């Protein structure tokens, strides 16, 4: 195996990447290699889907598979090798289906039938052992000695960014929101990668295209969430347990949470959110369920300890799962793209096994003292008080804005974000999103004229909200986003974060601080280019970075 798609990647003097029998995330070599093969096949499906679309043939089931398949390969999503064997076989059938549709339509229209090469022609073997012997065509760094690390790095930057794009798009699709324009661009970019591009400028252009695409996808997901569950409202969320039977819902997918809430209604079971599900409490269509009682725990990397202390049933709806400890392995479930060997999987929307497990478990014996945190500061909420924010800036009450958030992780150095938040001056506002907020979101920062200093904007995909707020402020002050008193201190971890970074760069945002360490596929040469064009910055100390942002020392 060779994998370097996430921040926890092994780094040595000779190699940046997990290239042993098991990655740091717990993914074994077989699963890693099967994921590479699946990605290779999906690019081949995109080749035929693009040709078919060019003559008017669109198969939405093909696009569903492309985006779901990419999602399953994100860090900490699916570790079940046998499921990937099935998906590899299914990918071949999907490819043959769209190929046949394309050929029939071309013949009917009197047009020549094109035969794309590369991934489009891949034929998987019949069993796992034989499929694994085919992995050499699909490994992500197979051409690096031929084309160089810079070209290879840009190719995988696009591939990994597209994984994030497809994950966000899948969440929207689950709520019935889909756009042909988005699906077509997904196909185009994936098909582009099959041409083995080598031109650095062209690759950079395509990387920014992936960023523009992700902006459209995040906007679609925002409309899907708000259109389905109502606009976010400022909400106090309980973070201490309530007596009773319990289910813990982790991951990102609001559609799955809604189904679970509906199926547990009047069942005498309390539902808690975990990780990136915290913002669900801000949506009227979800918080209307009185048995959605609070949030339990924090970010994904603490789940082994937190899940062990949760006395009920647990379900993962998307990333990030890590190896379940024995103490809770028999009461954890997965659904959607998630999987772990030996863990029960629910794939039909019927959560009866989860509910039965919750009823059989003790739950919380008593209430704990009520404590709350606040969420619900989506772009519509913040822009609803934009006039007060603008006045506060003009009066000097607000000196600066900081976006502090992103994807959290377990490696040392991430206390940077806690220290940074705690050191921000009392006349500054912090916008936070993603699971990195758990580093500091229970700290008290006060308010400025009734505006809380810490505004939780939601999940990692709600970077879209931060961009909208920044654009609105720039419009109010008749300046560019980069002229605002605004600094972005972004915690990078996995491929959704890669997609968000590309979106910010595509939006022309400059001066982003990215950390705590940079993606290993961003070579020194690529980093130099991004630093020159976008002022992309590496974290220093919180005090140094605050001084850079504010132009003065901070105590």
């Amino acid at each position: 195996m060779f994998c370097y798609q996430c921040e926890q990647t092994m780094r040595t003097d000779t190699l940046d990447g997990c290239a042993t029998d098991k990655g740091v995330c717990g993914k074994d070599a077989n699963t890693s290699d099967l994921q590479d093969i699946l990605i290779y096949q999906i690019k081949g499906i995109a080749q035929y889907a693009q040709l078919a679309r060019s003559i008017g043939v669109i198969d939405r089931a093909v696009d569903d598979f492309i985006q779901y398949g990419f999602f399953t390969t994100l860090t900490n999503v699916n570790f079940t090798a046998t499921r990937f064997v099935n998906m590899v076989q299914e990918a071949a059938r999907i490819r043959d289906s769209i190929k046949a549709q394309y050929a029939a339509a071309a013949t009917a229209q009197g047009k020549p039938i094109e035969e794309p090469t590369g991934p489009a022609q891949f034929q998987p073997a019949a069993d796992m052992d034989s499929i694994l012997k085919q992995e050499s065509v699909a490994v992500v760094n197979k051409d690096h000695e031929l084309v160089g690390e810079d070209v290879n790095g840009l190719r995988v930057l696009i591939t990994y960014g597209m994984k994030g794009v497809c994950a966000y798009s899948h969440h929207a699709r689950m709520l019935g929101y889909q756009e042909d324009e988005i699906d077509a661009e997904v196909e185009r970019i994936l098909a582009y990668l099959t041409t083995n591009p080598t031109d650095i400028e062209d690759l950079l252009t395509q990387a920014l295209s992936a960023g523009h695409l992700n902006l459209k996808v995040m906007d679609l997901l925002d409309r899907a969430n708000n259109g389905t569950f109502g606009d976010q409202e400022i909400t106090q969320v309980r973070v201490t347990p309530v007596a009773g039977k319990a289910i813990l819902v982790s991951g990102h997918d609001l559609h799955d949470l809604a189904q679970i809430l509906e199926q547990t209604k009047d069942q005498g079971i309390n539902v808690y959110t975990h990780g990136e599900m915290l913002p669900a409490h801000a949506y009227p269509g979800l918080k209307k369920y009185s048995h959605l009682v609070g949030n339990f725990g924090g970010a994904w990397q603490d789940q082994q300890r937190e899940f062990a202390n949760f006395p009920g049933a647990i379900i993962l709806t998307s990333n990030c799962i890590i190896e379940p400890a024995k103490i809770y392995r028999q009461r954890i479930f997965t659904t959607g793209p998630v999987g772990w060997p030996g863990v029960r999987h629910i794939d039909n929307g019927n959560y009866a096994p989860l509910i039965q497990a919750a009823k059989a478990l003790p739950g919380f014996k008593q209430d704990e003292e009520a404590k709350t945190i606040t969420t619900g500061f989506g772009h519509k909420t913040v822009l609803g008080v934009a006039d007060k924010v603008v006045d506060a800036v003009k009066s000097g009450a607000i000196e600066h804005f900081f976006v502090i958030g992103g994807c959290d992780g377990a490696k040392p150095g991430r206390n940077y974000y806690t220290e940074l938040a705690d050191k921000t001056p009392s006349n500054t506002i912090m916008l936070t999103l993603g699971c990195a907020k758990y580093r500091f979101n229970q700290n008290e920062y006060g308010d400025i004229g009734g505006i809380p200093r810490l505004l939780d904007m939601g999940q990692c995909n709600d970077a879209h909200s931060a961009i909208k707020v920044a654009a609105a402020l720039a419009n109010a002050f008749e300046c560019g986003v980069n002229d605002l008193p605004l600094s972005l201190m972004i915690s990078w971890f996995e491929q959704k974060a890669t997609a968000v970074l590309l979106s910010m760069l595509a939006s022309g945002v400059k001066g982003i601080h990215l950390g705590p360490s940079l993606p290993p596929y961003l070579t020194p040469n690529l980093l130099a280019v991004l630093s020159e064009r976008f002022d992309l910055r590496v974290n220093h100390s919180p005090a140094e970075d605050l001084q850079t942002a504010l132009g003065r020392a901070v105590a």
Side-chain angles (χ1 to χ4, degrees):
M1 67 175 285
F2 178 79
C3 181
Y4 62 167
Q5 67 179 8
C6 74
E7 194 266 342
Q8 60 192 349
T9 291
M10 294 179 187
R11 298 171 190 251
T12 69
D13 292 336
T14 58
L15 182 68
D16 284 339
C18 296
T20 61
D21 291 336
K22 180 178 281 191
V24 175
C25 67
K27 179 173 61 177
D28 63 41
N30 285 352
T31 302
S32 179
D33 292 348
L34 289 166
Q35 288 182 355
D36 286 346
I37 291 170
L38 178 62
I39 290 297
Y40 185 74
Q41 287 182 284
I42 289 175
K43 291 175 181 176
I45 295 172
Q47 289 176 276
Y48 273 115
Q50 185 184 36
L51 285 172
R53 189 180 292 271
S54 71
I55 58 172
V57 177
I58 299 173
D59 188 332
R60 198 160 290 172
V62 171
D63 295 308
D64 290 344
F65 183 86
I66 287 173
Q67 295 173 34
Y68 175 83
F70 253 59
F71 193 173
T72 63
T73 69
L74 266 72
T75 300
N76 292 352
V77 173
N78 199 316
F79 296 78
T80 310
T82 53
R83 280 181 64 183
F84 283 104
V85 172
N86 292 336
M87 290 190 72
V88 165
Q89 303 293 356
E90 179 65 13
R93 291 190 288 271
I94 292 283
R95 186 270 319 279
D96 291 345
S97 171
I98 192 63
K99 176 182 177 180
Q101 292 179 65
Y102 160 65
T107 299
Q109 296 175 29
K111 296 180 178 179
I113 299 173
E114 296 183 39
E115 288 285 349
T117 59
Q121 300 304 318
F122 179 80
Q123 296 294 339
D127 57 75
M128 183 186 297
D129 289 342
S130 300
I131 292 172
L132 289 170
K133 292 177 182 177
Q134 300 175 296
E135 200 269 342
S136 61
V137 302
V139 65
V140 295
N141 66 339
K142 67 174 181 176
D143 291 334
H144 74 282
E145 292 183 352
L146 178 65
V147 301
E149 297 291 353
D150 298 338
V151 167
N152 195 78
L154 281 172
R155 289 177 181 177
V156 298
L157 172 64
I158 297 170
T159 298
Y160 294 160
M162 291 302 295
K163 288 188 179 190
V165 169
C166 289
Y168 290 142
S169 182
H170 175 76
H171 288 312
R173 294 173 101 83
M174 292 293 289
L175 294 171
Y177 283 69
Q178 171 274 339
E179 290 181 356
D180 285 341
E181 179 186 359
I182 287 173
D183 294 347
E185 184 67 354
V186 169
E187 293 167 4
R188 187 197 67 77
I189 293 175
L190 296 183
Y192 163 80
L193 289 169
T194 69
T195 65
N196 299 319
T198 59
D199 183 84
I200 293 289
E201 285 299 324
D202 189 42
L203 282 160
L204 283 168
T205 298
Q206 295 303 325
L208 295 180
S209 293
H212 284 296
L213 173 61
N214 192 54
L215 284 169
K216 294 177 182 177
V217 170
M218 288 193 296
D219 179 71
L220 179 67
L221 180 53
D222 179 71
R223 286 185 277 124
N225 289 336
N226 292 323
T228 305
F229 304 116
D231 295 340
Q232 288 189 55
E233 301 171 343
I234 300 172
T235 304
Q236 298 290 319
V237 182
R238 184 178 177 124
V239 293
T240 49
V242 176
K245 304 289 186 178
I247 288 175
L248 184 62
V249 184
S250 190
H252 299 73
D253 202 289
L254 300 185
H255 174 265
D256 292 330
L257 176 62
Q259 287 188 313
I260 291 167
L261 287 169
E262 184 62 28
Q263 292 179 34
T264 52
K265 187 170 58 177
D266 302 322
Q267 295 274 353
I269 300 172
N270 293 324
V271 176
Y272 297 79
T273 56
H274 175 268
E276 285 271 64
M277 297 300 291
L278 168 63
H281 293 268
Y283 292 97
L286 295 173
K287 72 178 188 177
K288 71 180 182 181
Y289 292 94
S290 60
H291 62 299
L292 179 63
V293 297
N295 187 80
F296 182 90
W300 65 269
Q301 72 272 7
D302 296 325
Q303 68 184 249
Q304 289 179 323
R305 171 178 54 82
E306 292 169 351
F307 289 3
N309 293 327
F310 187 81
I314 304 161
I315 187 162
L316 269 294
T317 67
S318 67
N319 55 322
C320 305
I321 188 172
I322 55 179
E323 183 171 5
K326 289 182 179 179
I327 192 171
Y328 62 84
R329 187 181 288 261
Q330 298 306 311
R331 52 188 172 88
I332 188 171
F333 297 78
T334 61
T335 191
V338 196
W340 191 278
V343 169
R344 287 172 288 181
H345 186 75
I346 295 171
D347 61 3
N348 56 6
N350 180 357
Y351 292 96
L354 174 74
I355 295 169
Q356 292 168 3
K359 289 181 176 179
L361 290 161
F364 290 101
K365 294 182 179 179
Q366 60 187 22
D367 292 355
E368 291 187 13
E369 180 184 358
K371 296 180 181 179
T372 63
I373 56 177
T374 308
T375 191
F377 294 97
H379 61 91
K380 293 185 179 181
T381 305
V382 176
L383 293 179
V385 294
D387 55 340
K388 295 181 181 179
V389 174
V390 171
D391 289 343
V393 174
K394 289 181 176 179
S395 71
I398 295 177
E399 176 187 11
H400 205 85
F401 297 88
F402 292 94
V403 177
I404 307 176
C407 299
D408 202 10
K411 288 180 68 174
R414 290 181 177 271
N415 58 317
Y416 166 94
Y417 297 96
T418 308
E419 187 177 346
L420 181 78
D422 290 346
K423 284 182 177 294
T424 55
S426 59
N427 63 345
T428 61
I429 295 288
M430 291 176 282
L431 309 176
T432 190
L433 45 88
C435 61
K437 62 175 165 274
Y438 284 109
R439 293 276 173 178
F440 49 85
N441 69 339
Q442 294 198 35
N443 296 350
E444 180 56 51
Y445 295 105
D447 66 89
I448 300 174
I451 302 170
R453 286 196 56 233
L454 180 65
L455 305 178
D456 179 5
M457 306 198 80
Q459 296 181 331
C460 55
N461 56 284
D462 288 310
H464 168 264
S465 282
I467 293 171
K468 276 186 170 290
V469 168
L473 289 174
N475 184 61
F477 288 106
E478 298 182 346
C479 66
V481 169
N482 295 312
D483 299 316
L484 290 170
L486 170 70
S487 298
L488 294 98
M489 327 299 282
I490 305 300
S491 171
W492 170 80
F493 179 74
E494 43 82 275
Q495 299 79 65
K496 287 181 175 179
T498 301
V500 171
L501 173 64
L502 291 176
S503 290
M504 290 182 174
L505 298 181
S507 299
V509 176
K510 295 185 177 181
I512 299 169
H513 289 257
L514 191 66
S517 58
L518 295 180
Y521 45 85
L522 284 186
T523 65
N525 289 336
L526 295 179
L527 178 59
V529 170
L530 294 177
S531 296
E532 178 184 356
R533 298 187 186 184
F534 300 100
D535 193 20
L536 187 66
R537 303 172 182 178
V538 182
N539 286 356
H540 295 98
S541 71
E544 288 177 281
D545 292 339
L546 284 171
Q547 182 170 350
T548 299
L550 298 171
R552 60 180 176 84
V554 176

